[in-house]
Amino acid sequence: AQKVTQAQTEISVVEKEDVTLDCVYETRDTTYYLFWYKQPPSGELVFLIRRNSFDEQNEISGRYSWNFQKSTSSFNFTITASQVVDSAVYFCALSEVWAGANNLFFGTGTRLTVIP
Amino acid sequence: DSGVTQTPKHLITATGQRVTLRCSPRSGDLSVYWYQQSLDQGLQFLIQYYNGEERAKGNILERFSAQQFPDLHSELNLSSLELGDSALYFCASSVEENEQFFGPGTRLTVL
């Protein structure tokens, strides 16, 4: 069975601090995708990144970076020099691709508050 | 703007009633997904359609049903509504196995 765990329920940081959001997943599949989505106070879900299970390269996009480690089943997300606009709930998700279905299993989310 | 549209944005109704939520996917996306976000259950997958056919089912109640039409828009029908059905309902679309883009959601309140 698949499972995504985001152990950090809430995190508060002061603006310009770096922050890492943890994500640990469980799956029996060898082919899967991992995602991060952002849900700002306005409520929409914004796609941030998708990573497939065969690509363990870390990725950096501006102030965002992601660390995928298959050995520990983790896909952590770091925001460098946080800003108030980063305040949101962040969801990690897993997709197992079988028979054309690729629905997302979400973690419970981490609420990030960036204090000015 | 993700390109996925959902209507209505808000819906307030009474227990026992039936409602229909509508979703238009991004241009070119054949897959449509429905998710429910509630305080106690979090974000849960309900159902997926691909080019008009049901492809996967999640924790969708028997009182709920969905369909995808030839123009690829989708509708989620919720009937015999209960207080616990109050939630934010998201539609998402994707091209095959690629990332899913979410609509703004429909907030359903059952009184």
Side-chain angles (χ1 to χ4, degrees), chain A residues 64-82:
Chain A
Y64 295 171
S65 62
W66 291 269
N67 180 252
F68 176 27
Q69 290 198 351
K70 244 172 152 173
S71 60
T72 55
S73 297
S74 65
F75 186 44
N76 296 337
F77 173 30
T78 297
I79 302 175
T80 302
S82 59

Side-chain angles (χ1 to χ4, degrees), chain B residues 4 29 37 40 49 51 57 71 105:
Chain B
V4 179
D29 286 359
Q37 185 176 31
D40 52 345
Y49 277 84
N51 202 21
K57 232 173 182 176
D71 68 352

Side-chain angles (χ1 to χ4, degrees), chain A residues 37 39 47 50 100 102 104, chain B residues 33 35 37 55 97 100:
Chain A
Y37 283 85
Q39 188 174 38
F47 166 78
R50 180 184 79 140
N102 57 315
L104 298 172
Chain B
Y33 312 77
Y35 293 86
Q37 185 176 31
R55 186 160 270 190
E97 300 157 4
Q100 295 177 27

Side-chain angles (χ1 to χ4, degrees), chain A residues 10-30:
Chain A
E10 296 191 30
I11 300 177
S12 290
V13 298
V14 176
E15 202 170 19
K16 295 184 185 172
E17 285 184 348
D18 299 348
V19 58
T20 295
L21 309 183
D22 297 334
C23 173
V24 174
Y25 63 92
E26 291 176 31
T27 177
R28 292 179 186 171
D29 281 9
T30 55

